[in-house]
Amino acid sequence: MTKDVIALTEKMPDARTLLAALYAGGPDLSLTTTDDGAVIHLRTPAGRPLVSVESPLLVHVPGEAERLLSPHITPPQPPYWWTETRASTAIPAAEPLAGSVCGRLRMLLGGTTWPPEAARTAVVETSQDGDDFTATRLPDGALPAVDVLTESTAVVIADRSILPLTTWLSDILRSTAATGRALHIVTPPHVRLTLPLRMTLVGAPNRWVVKDPEGGYYDGLSGAVLAWQNGTFAPTVTPAKVADAFTRGAQHTEERRLTLALRTVRSPNTDLVLGTALESAWRHLTGAPPTGWGTAEPINLPWSPRQLTELARSRSPQPTHALVIGTPDQPAIATHRTTRTTAGIAEEVTFTIGYPTAAEVPLDAIEPLAAELVGTHSLTTMLTTLTAADADLTLAPVLTSPPIPLTFTLGTRDTQTIGLTHARRPPLMFRPVQLGTATDPALHYSLGDGTDAAAWPVLQTLIAHLKAGTPGTG
């Protein structure tokens, strides 16, 4: 298990300042770095891990500290430097040492720390005799940041009020995928996940494992009772039993989340700029563009479709994953994935906005937005859903209401492939609205107002009808 302490400083922690902070553990500790130098590890003379310090991150985006740490924190004015430390709880002195590292950074560079009570500046005694520790060195080739590593699973034990998709967790996810392992994140029940992290844990083999207050463990997304079996967390019975703690905490809220899952495909020419469809949707539904983007949380860069495009080009033909955030006064976050396909450059976006009540969701803005995306951004499909869930866009490990479909939009390319006559006549009580032009038509289907789960079988019937009209299917 690790304990996180974070320094938010007004000035950049340069090499000399970092060294002064790291000497909080005395001169006998050894320093090692990852291959790319992104993480510094402090170890005892015997090689046991104490504290890991990530490379400082320059945050330009307002509201990230409040969103991910606490609404009561007062960070420096952006841009400021975000330095994360992680202390091993296997050694009692590790957490005070992480606090001293961050406390010294704050003292030398100005700013604040989180949690505030962890900060200190004194030298921390890390050992009486250098060998009196229960922690052990991980085997060669192991992931140094995980708490348990088996042939099938990497386990990370975390305890912070909001758990985001940090660079650290992103790296672990990539490493586990490359080695054919699952990532299981174990937390107490008070921990909440951000939407980007939740989306990475949906579906096998990865899991969010929650410690049940009444004993045992359960899956934080499905509620299935879990146990540690053969080197991994797995359901105790088949079919899976649902934990009482999961259903007992079921949420009933007036708050809502509007989610757009959209896909565009465009030709890979030199003038192509990515992110423009997402920006149009953002402006249309919130009245302002996104404020920031990045590849992990905290989201640190000012919003720039040009820089997003440059990153995707540098990584091509591999996919590029990015996160996008809005202003603090309107909770909104999106994931953006760019891939090269035989048809062109595909952008897949999941964009979610939080609202205090259902009455504030701009349902009448969806059709005009669909028309704009069809006419300007080569939309291929878009599904919108409404969910009764917390507007702050975090997720607790309890039963929540499922999303309910609102609309489905079929772009011009797929409409032509299926055939306009077939696509506009599904075996349903409604008829779609035609978008686009007479020569390049698209169709927009209204499925409901977000209050009736019967919209799901309606959507399934529609999709089956459209597939039946696609050459090579049906």
Side-chain angles (χ1 to χ4, degrees):
M1 181 173 179
T2 59
K3 284 287 189 178
D4 299 346
V5 185
I6 298 169
L8 309 175
T9 58
E10 299 169 3
K11 300 176 183 178
M12 182 182 74
D14 58 15
R16 180 176 296 181
T17 306
L18 276 174
L19 188 60
L22 295 172
Y23 264 109
D28 294 332
L29 298 183
S30 63
L31 303 180
T32 60
T33 64
T34 55
D35 291 340
D36 59 2
V39 181
I40 301 173
H41 300 289
L42 281 77
R43 299 178 183 273
T44 70
R48 277 83 176 193
L50 281 167
V51 173
S52 297
V53 183
E54 286 194 9
S55 294
L57 187 69
L58 184 60
V59 176
H60 293 266
V61 181
E64 279 297 87
E66 294 88 339
R67 180 176 75 90
L68 298 179
L69 302 179
S70 167
H72 306 296
I73 196 171
T74 305
Q77 288 295 313
Y80 58 84
W81 293 89
W82 182 303
T83 306
E84 293 215 14
T85 66
R86 292 185 176 83
S88 169
T89 55
I91 302 175
E95 187 176 353
L97 176 57
S100 275
V101 170
C102 289
R104 289 184 172 205
L105 291 177
R106 181 196 62 182
M107 179 185 69
L108 294 170
L109 304 173
T112 189
T113 59
W114 178 90
E117 65 274 10
R120 63 195 73 210
T121 58
V123 173
V124 177
E125 179 60 47
T126 57
S127 173
Q128 297 298 322
D129 57 14
D131 293 310
D132 188 20
F133 292 105
T134 57
T136 57
R137 184 195 297 270
L138 288 172
D140 292 340
L143 292 168
V146 304
D147 297 287
V148 178
L149 189 66
T150 71
E151 291 185 359
S152 65
T153 306
V155 178
V156 170
I157 306 173
D159 184 1
R160 57 195 281 183
S161 55
I162 297 174
L163 190 60
L165 181 60
T166 61
T167 301
W168 167 61
L169 282 176
S170 296
D171 289 344
I172 295 174
L173 278 163
R174 282 191 290 270
S175 298
T176 53
T179 58
R181 291 184 172 94
L183 172 61
H184 290 182
I185 300 177
V186 182
T187 75
H190 67 264
V191 173
R192 301 174 72 94
L193 305 189
T194 63
L195 279 184
L197 180 55
R198 178 201 186 281
M199 292 178 68
T200 66
L201 296 178
V202 171
N206 302 324
R207 285 190 188 275
W208 178 18
V209 181
V210 180
K211 183 71 172 68
D212 194 325
E214 298 178 359
Y217 300 89
Y218 66 93
D219 189 298
L221 301 180
S222 70
V225 175
L226 304 174
W228 183 254
Q229 308 173 64
N230 301 318
T232 192
F233 283 100
T236 55
V237 294
T238 303
K241 177 185 176 183
V242 176
D244 292 339
F246 185 76
T247 56
R248 188 169 56 246
Q251 294 179 319
H252 301 280
T253 178
E254 296 299 318
E255 299 176 20
R256 294 293 185 271
R257 295 178 188 173
L258 175 65
T259 299
L260 287 67
L262 63 93
R263 187 174 192 267
T264 67
V265 178
R266 292 182 288 171
S267 300
N269 57 60
T270 57
D271 297 328
L272 177 66
V273 178
L274 301 176
T276 55
L278 174 58
E279 180 173 326
S280 292
W282 214 295
R283 289 181 182 273
H284 194 93
L285 294 174
T286 72
T291 59
W293 78 285
T295 57
E297 296 177 290
I299 297 171
N300 67 310
L301 300 172
W303 170 242
S304 172
R306 178 185 59 81
Q307 291 182 347
L308 175 62
T309 305
E310 291 173 354
L311 177 65
R313 282 180 175 152
S314 70
R315 294 184 174 180
S316 184
Q318 297 301 314
T320 297
H321 298 263
L323 307 177
V324 185
I325 198 76
T327 57
D329 59 335
Q330 173 62 77
I333 196 165
T335 60
H336 182 283
R337 184 175 188 266
T338 306
T339 55
R340 293 192 65 174
T341 70
T342 55
I345 303 300
E347 295 177 73
E348 297 172 330
V349 172
T350 302
F351 174 32
T352 301
I353 312 171
Y355 297 93
T357 65
E360 298 179 58
V361 181
L363 298 180
D364 57 353
I366 297 176
E367 183 181 317
L369 171 60
E372 179 182 341
L373 295 176
V374 165
T376 310
H377 299 285
S378 300
L379 181 74
T380 59
T381 59
M382 181 172 73
L383 174 66
T384 65
T385 59
L386 191 64
T387 308
D390 293 341
D392 68 359
L393 308 185
T394 62
L395 182 78
V398 297
L399 180 64
T400 57
S401 300
I404 298 177
L406 291 169
T407 68
F408 180 76
T409 306
L410 189 70
T412 58
R413 188 190 67 174
D414 289 354
T415 300
Q416 291 173 351
T417 300
I418 294 169
L420 178 61
T421 300
H422 181 86
R424 70 191 306 175
R425 294 179 179 176
L428 299 166
M429 296 296 294
F430 61 82
R431 289 292 179 266
V433 174
Q434 185 168 319
L435 307 176
T437 65
T439 54
D440 290 309
L443 295 173
H444 181 72
Y445 305 83
S446 294
L447 306 173
D449 61 1
T451 62
D452 189 352
W456 276 116
V458 172
L459 175 62
Q460 291 168 349
T461 299
L462 172 62
I463 298 302
H465 174 76
L466 296 177
K467 286 183 176 180
T470 303
T473 67

